[in-house]
């Protein structure tokens, strides 16, 4: 049996002035997969909640997009978790939809997600669920596999 944990790291956007927010940040809960059984041939699914928060004294309509990089392997379309510092990897993917067909990426590879906060006084927050999958049929060594793709919010 294998356990996997994805830590979605955070990068903040840059401050802007005027009618938009003064800052926006993004964070996520850890995406913890159930134990993966290499011999079952079955996929393992998980989910995470991504929270975007924009702050400012007063803002009237802030549009943003959230991008996700390729993690340790730097390949959005072929993400892999690693077993410690070994060369052992376990393929997985993160999606924007529950049907797991829309890969979350940077807009060049995979899709970004966008949102709008219409009116804000001090801070506004929006959440979105994202979905992960470890495809079945991967013969890998037992252990704890991890990756840390980085989210970026642009506003």
């Amino acid at each position: 049996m294998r356990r996997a944990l994805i830590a979605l790291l955070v990068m903040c956007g840059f401050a802007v002035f005027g009618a938009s927010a003064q800052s926006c940040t993004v964070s996520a809960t850890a995406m913890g997969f159930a134990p993966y059984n290499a011999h079952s041939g079955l996929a393992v699914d998980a989910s995470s909640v991504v929270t975007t928060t924009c702050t400012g004294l007063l803002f009237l309509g802030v549009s943003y997009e959230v991008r996700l990089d390729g993690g340790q392997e730097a390949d959005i379309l072929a993400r892999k978790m690693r077993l410690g510092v070994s060369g052992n990897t376990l393929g997985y993917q993160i999606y924007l939809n529950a049907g797991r067909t829309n890969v979350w990426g940077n807009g060049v590879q995979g899709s970004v997600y966008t949102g709008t906060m219409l009116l804000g006084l001090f801070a506004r927050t929006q959440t979105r669920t994202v979905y992960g999958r470890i495809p079945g049929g991967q013969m890998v060594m037992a252990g704890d596999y991890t990756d840390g793709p980085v989210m970026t919010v642009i506003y």
Side-chain angles (χ1 to χ4, degrees), residues 73-133:
E73 296 294 315
D75 187 347
I76 291 168
L77 299 179
R79 289 186 171 109
K80 291 184 168 86
M81 294 179 269
R82 287 191 179 274
L83 174 61
V85 295
S86 74
N88 298 311
T89 61
L90 178 62
Y92 78 100
Q93 194 51 268
I94 300 174
Y95 302 91
L96 294 173
N97 63 327
R100 292 172 173 82
T101 57
N102 189 10
V103 173
W104 184 13
N106 62 8
V108 176
Q109 288 187 316
S111 300
V112 300
Y113 80 78
T114 61
T116 301
M117 296 184 201
L118 296 179
L119 174 63
L121 182 60
F122 303 116
R124 298 280 295 184
T125 298
Q126 292 182 343
T127 60
R128 178 175 183 136
T129 301
V130 295
Y131 305 88
R133 174 169 284 163

Side-chain angles (χ1 to χ4, degrees), residues 21-79:
Q22 292 178 0
S23 70
C24 292
T25 60
V26 63
S27 63
T29 59
M31 184 176 287
F33 290 92
Y36 176 76
N37 183 341
H39 301 289
S40 75
L42 300 175
V44 176
D45 293 338
S47 64
S48 173
V49 176
V50 178
T51 301
T52 306
T53 302
C54 293
T55 61
L57 184 57
L58 174 66
F59 51 91
L60 304 169
V62 174
S63 294
Y64 64 89
E65 73 177 32
V66 181
R67 300 174 180 180
L68 186 65
D69 77 4
Q72 301 174 94
E73 296 294 315
D75 187 347
I76 291 168
L77 299 179
R79 289 186 171 109

